Amino acid sequence: MANKIIAPSILAADFANLQIDIEMVNNSSADWFHIDVMDGVFVPNISFGMPVIKAISKHAKKPLDIHLMIVDPDRYIQTFADLGGAILTVHYEACTHLHRTLQAIKATGMKAGVALNPHTPISVLESIIGDIDLVCIMSVNPGFGGQKFILETYEKVKQLKALIISKNANTIIEIDGGVTDQNAQALAVAGADALVAGSHVFSNNNPKAVIGTLHSLVKSDS
Ligand code: DX5
Ligand code: ZN
């Protein structure tokens, strides 16, 4: 993939002024909105649900990259499609019948993603990589923004890149958690195509400039 993708995570936005932050992303060089849905069961936190995503969708002018940190995601696939999702990512650890789930996501017209927790090896995707549009490698334990990046991620990115090439697949590699201007370039060099960034973007007084800097960091080595 030639152009790397930067996806600001709305989890780190100001929920009392959501429209302002959505317009900021609209007017920035960001590529996608990353939307984290947490159910308090799969992860020890609850974020937001359908009414909030509906409000985001109304104003967002870029694709919604929805990351489900929920058990039994099959129940809501059509709902997230109706809400305007472009990519729907489920967790490997939450899906007993992952192949069926991916086909159900694609049947709605959305791209199908699979997220891996930090302890889950890349090898579990060997038999299904050809069916996956995006793999989200969690570089923190899912559930919260603002955590420290796990260094083992670099090795997983390289392994995933090798798997994608060996199977002649067309899968996007996304990194989620603890992404900053300190690791963006190295992640791109290792093979990442899409970087999610929450607190690094929204904690800055000039979030648009941060997004621009992330883009320039990944461009120079792509
Ligand atoms: C974590 C979420 C991430 C989170 C990233 O469970 O999946 O998308 O928003 O936040 P930062 O960039 O602050 O680590
Ligand atoms: Zn996420």
Side-chain angles (χ1 to χ4, degrees):
M1 175 174 293
N3 286 324
K4 306 280 182 182
I5 289 157
I6 303 296
S9 175
I10 291 302
L11 187 65
D14 179 356
F15 290 168
N17 291 288
L18 206 42
Q19 192 177 350
I20 291 173
D21 283 346
I22 293 166
E23 296 298 348
M24 182 281 291
V25 175
N26 282 341
N27 295 323
S28 76
S29 61
D31 301 277
W32 298 342
F33 285 84
H34 186 81
I35 312 277
D36 289 306
V37 180
M38 305 177 184
D39 66 355
V41 179
F42 181 72
V43 288
N45 195 12
I46 298 174
S47 57
F48 48 77
M50 285 57 169
V52 174
I53 297 175
K54 193 173 177 187
I56 294 170
S57 192
K58 198 171 139 196
H59 298 285
K61 296 200 175 89
K62 296 177 180 184
L64 302 187
D65 170 36
I66 302 178
H67 176 193
L68 298 185
M69 286 159 272
I70 67 174
V71 296
D72 203 1
D74 300 66
R75 287 177 296 169
Y76 301 111
I77 291 171
Q78 189 58 52
T79 306
F80 286 110
D82 294 342
L83 285 168
I87 304 154
L88 191 67
T89 296
V90 295
H91 263 264
Y92 169 83
E93 303 83 3
C95 296
T96 310
H97 300 285
L98 184 61
H99 185 274
R100 180 182 290 150
T101 302
L102 295 177
Q103 305 315 318
I105 293 171
K106 290 184 191 178
T108 67
M110 294 186 288
K111 299 276 185 203
V114 177
L116 298 182
N117 278 338
H119 73 274
T120 303
I122 297 298
S123 57
V124 299
L125 301 178
E126 267 171 23
S127 304
I128 195 153
I129 192 72
D131 289 289
I132 306 176
D133 295 310
L134 176 148
V135 173
C136 175
I137 298 179
M138 292 307 302
S139 37
V140 298
N141 281 298
F144 303 92
Q147 300 181 82
K148 192 167 171 271
F149 179 84
I150 296 171
L151 290 171
E152 175 67 16
T153 304
Y154 293 115
E155 186 55 34
K156 290 178 84 172
V157 176
K158 287 184 206 158
Q159 289 173 8
L160 177 57
K161 187 78 185 170
L163 175 63
I164 290 167
I165 290 170
S166 76
K167 301 277 185 178
N168 213 8
N170 205 12
T171 314
I172 292 172
I173 301 177
E174 178 179 73
I175 311 300
D176 187 8
V179 171
T180 68
D181 55 5
Q182 299 301 301
N183 52 27
Q185 193 169 34
L187 286 165
V189 170
D193 304 300
L195 302 180
V196 174
S199 48
H200 180 62
V201 168
F202 286 98
S203 67
N204 195 286
N205 287 333
N206 191 347
K208 262 198 261 183
V210 175
I211 294 165
T213 302
L214 288 172
H215 260 129
S216 61
L217 282 168
V218 296
K219 203 173 279 173
S220 54
D221 276 274
S222 57

